[in-house]
Amino acid sequence: MPDADDIDALARSAAHGDPAALDALLLAVRPEALRLCARFLPNREDAEEACQDTLLALANGITRFEGRSSFRTWLHRLAANRARSTYRTLRRRWRLEAGGVPLPDRADPRRTSVVAGTRLDLLDAFDAVRPDLAEVVALRDVLGLSYPEIAELLDVPVGTVKSRLHLARHQVRQRLGADAG
């Protein structure tokens, strides 16, 4: 696997229209994209689908990569957004295929691991908050980006990241039922 500097160089070349660099970049970052998507989606096939969506979004959007943040940080944002989008698509598909039978409020512990159930509950909670808040909490708490990385990526001050994160965590806790008041 190429190091971060090699990945950043490939991303810059791909952003300037080099198709060979784009091919090499997609190949190099696929394992990380899959790992990031799997942090959101507990089912391997679902994570694979989100990974493919992430790589497609990367290929289609690479010319918009400006290099303000590291490529790795930009990839994290793409993966978080694509994983959340894949989850929403899968949930809609399930509702259609289930003939209108609603999803259970909570994951069935007899059929779902505790970790998987928690991630599904978290994805549902993300959908219940504003997208800018969900994005910040996903980048920080699920993918582990630092405050400065998030601020750079979103082009907002670090204080804005912290206030959005505080509000998002509060709303997510309420949605998860863990907030006492």
Side-chain angles (χ1 to χ4, degrees):
M1 168 108 173
D3 67 17
D5 290 338
D6 292 338
I7 296 288
D8 283 343
L10 283 172
R12 282 190 301 277
S13 294
H16 287 101
D18 180 344
L22 177 60
D23 289 344
L25 179 65
L26 291 171
L27 185 64
V29 301
R30 188 186 186 290
E32 183 174 3
L34 179 58
R35 183 182 58 78
L36 294 170
C37 291
R39 293 187 73 180
F40 286 93
L41 298 164
N43 180 288
R44 172 97 179 161
E45 290 81 17
D46 298 345
E48 288 275 357
E49 185 173 330
C51 176
Q52 291 304 315
D53 288 347
T54 300
L55 296 176
L56 182 61
L58 187 161
N60 290 333
I62 192 67
T63 57
R64 291 187 302 274
F65 176 65
E66 299 171 353
R68 285 183 319 186
S69 61
S70 74
F71 176 78
R72 179 186 158 271
T73 302
W74 192 71
L75 177 65
H76 277 70
R77 184 180 194 187
L78 279 178
N81 289 336
R82 297 312 331 148
R84 289 174 40 229
S85 177
T86 297
Y87 176 71
R88 285 191 296 273
T89 300
L90 292 169
R91 189 174 59 193
R92 275 192 306 274
R93 187 182 311 153
W94 187 89
R95 284 183 177 146
L96 289 172
E97 290 173 1
V101 175
L103 285 169
D105 287 337
R106 292 280 210 209
D108 182 348
R110 295 170 302 202
R111 298 179 53 213
T112 308
S113 75
V114 172
V115 171
T118 301
R119 280 191 269 177
L120 296 177
D121 291 342
L122 184 61
L123 286 166
D124 283 337
F126 284 169
D127 278 351
V129 301
R130 287 189 343 235
D132 62 324
L133 299 179
E135 183 172 36
V136 169
V137 78
L139 291 171
R140 176 70 181 160
D141 292 345
V142 179
L143 298 182
L145 294 183
S146 70
Y147 294 120
E149 286 175 315
I150 297 168
E152 186 177 5
L153 182 62
L154 301 180
D155 198 24
V156 298
V158 170
T160 300
V161 170
K162 289 179 179 180
S163 65
R164 286 181 186 173
L165 185 59
H166 175 76
L167 183 58
R169 285 175 174 163
H170 176 74
Q171 290 180 8
V172 166
R173 275 194 303 269
Q174 282 185 316
R175 174 69 182 183
L176 293 173
D179 194 73

